[in-house]
């Protein structure tokens, strides 16, 4: 005989719990690059990390040291320098949903897209998602320029010296080939893993 005081759990609640499950059944590993050169850059990067952790189906597993970088693709001195970092996440979100979440976080930090390589409060890029290789113009994987950007490779190498960029090779070799010109570690600054 069933107990009349026990009510079934609504399906919507079950779905919410499943989506936020900290165990993340069958997660994928993704590498994300973060950058900011407007406003309180360090606070913005930390806010982005915290927002990623607050995303159902995403857990931040590692956060790199902070690097300061000259703006890329523009005249020297025309923009403030960037703070850059790399985070590694485990996620059950598919790549396009992770991209949407990254863009929503950018918007929450007042990202404006007026010019290519323009100054920005926040940039969230998917560098690699598992071993996925895709030429989709909306989300090319791995990131089509990651192999030539020290501000991505250096912090990633700090986190995972043995890492490899799908289709391009070991991060250590890619970084050695381009060098660290315009990129410097900021040992005085620190980003933290979310609680």
């Amino acid at each position: 005989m069933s107990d009349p005081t026990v009510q079934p759990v609504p399906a919507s609640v079950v779905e919410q719990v499943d989506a936020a499950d900290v165990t993340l059944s069958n997660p994928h590993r993704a590498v994300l690059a973060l950058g900011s050169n407007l406003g309180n850059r360090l606070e913005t990067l930390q806010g982005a990390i915290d927002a990623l952790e607050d995303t159902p189906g995403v857990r931040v597993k590692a956060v790199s040291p902070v690097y300061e970088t000259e703006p890329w693709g523009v005249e020297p001195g025309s923009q403030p320098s960037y703070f850059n970092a790399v985070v590694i996440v485990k996620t059950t979100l598919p790549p396009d949903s992770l991209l949407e979440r990254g863009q929503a976080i950018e918007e929450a930090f007042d990202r404006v897209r007026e010019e290519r390589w323009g100054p920005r409060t926040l940039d969230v890029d998917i560098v690699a998602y598992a071993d996925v290789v895709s030429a989709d113009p909306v989300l090319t994987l791995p990131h089509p320029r990651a192999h030539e950007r020290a501000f991505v490779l250096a912090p990633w190498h700090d986190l995972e010296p043995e890492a490899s960029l799908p289709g391009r090779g070991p991060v250590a070799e890619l970084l050695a080939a381009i060098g660290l010109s315009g990129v410097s570690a900021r040992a005085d600054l620190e980003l933290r893993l979310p609680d």
Side-chain angles (χ1 to χ4, degrees), residues 37-74:
N37 77 332
L38 295 177
N40 187 327
R41 299 167 293 172
L42 188 66
E43 186 176 289
T44 297
L45 294 183
Q46 186 63 59
I49 293 165
D50 295 341
L52 285 165
E53 179 68 19
D54 287 343
T55 303
V58 176
R59 293 294 167 262
V60 178
K61 305 308 281 183
V63 177
S64 78
V66 177
Y67 278 76
E68 189 161 11
T69 309
E70 295 173 7
W72 198 87
V74 298

Side-chain angles (χ1 to χ4, degrees), residues 29 31 126-133 141-149 152-153 156 162-172 174:
R29 181 181 163 283
V31 178
I126 301 175
V127 177
Y129 182 100
D131 292 323
V132 174
V133 176
L141 289 171
H143 191 287
R145 291 173 298 282
H147 66 284
E148 58 192 29
R149 293 181 170 175
V152 171
L153 298 174
W156 186 7
E162 304 302 318
S164 187
L165 183 64
R168 295 288 183 177
V171 168
L174 297 171

